[in-house]
Amino acid sequence: MTTNIGAQAADAVNEKLVERQKLEQEMLAHHQDLQTLISQRNENEMVKEELEICEKESSDATIYKQVGPVLLKNDLSDATDTVEKRLEFISGEIKKIEGFISKKEGRYEELGKAIQEMQSAMQKAAVEAAKAAAQQAAS
């Protein structure tokens, strides 16, 4: 166990740095998930627009849904309902991930401030120790 106060302070700063780096990695993963969801939302919005065009042009339009390598017939109303539900789900997931990111960013900033304060305190302590050593050497 370390008895040196400076080493203990440095260890505490390193722990905070490691925690901050971990948060940064988590935020990066959440941002990637968010980008994927936004792409899915955009894709589904385009499908919804296409379905609306089909609905305007012909109420008895035949819609096909791809399931694996097979195309299956699907009712226009069923396809529209499915896309709308998918959009609701994706929007909910986007909000959830944005909430996670917001919380992580807040904690990230808190850790940054704590690290700065700890480093500042360590620098002040080092200056004080150097002054004390200089005075003791001069005596």
Side-chain angles (χ1 to χ4, degrees), residues 22-102:
K22 182 181 172 191
L23 276 173
E24 191 173 10
Q25 292 300 318
E26 290 173 5
M27 286 189 311
L28 179 63
H30 284 308
H31 278 289
Q32 290 171 342
D33 292 343
L34 183 61
Q35 286 303 114
T36 300
L37 286 168
I38 289 171
S39 294
Q40 289 175 349
R41 181 183 63 190
N42 291 341
E43 194 174 295
N44 279 280
E45 286 173 348
M46 286 190 295
V47 170
K48 184 179 176 184
E49 289 173 11
E50 291 294 323
L51 290 173
E52 288 171 356
I53 291 170
C54 288
E55 194 171 349
K56 286 178 186 175
E57 304 242 337
S58 171
S59 61
D60 63 341
T62 304
I63 305 296
Y64 292 92
K65 175 180 178 179
Q66 184 175 0
V67 179
V70 179
L71 289 176
L72 301 174
K73 276 190 178 183
N74 198 4
D75 290 339
L76 181 59
S77 61
D78 289 343
T80 303
D81 290 343
T82 301
V83 170
E84 286 175 1
K85 287 177 185 173
R86 196 176 307 139
L87 281 168
E88 286 175 23
F89 174 78
I90 291 170
S91 294
E93 289 297 304
I94 287 173
K95 287 179 184 174
K96 187 168 77 173
I97 288 179
E98 285 174 341
F100 287 150
I101 291 171
S102 179

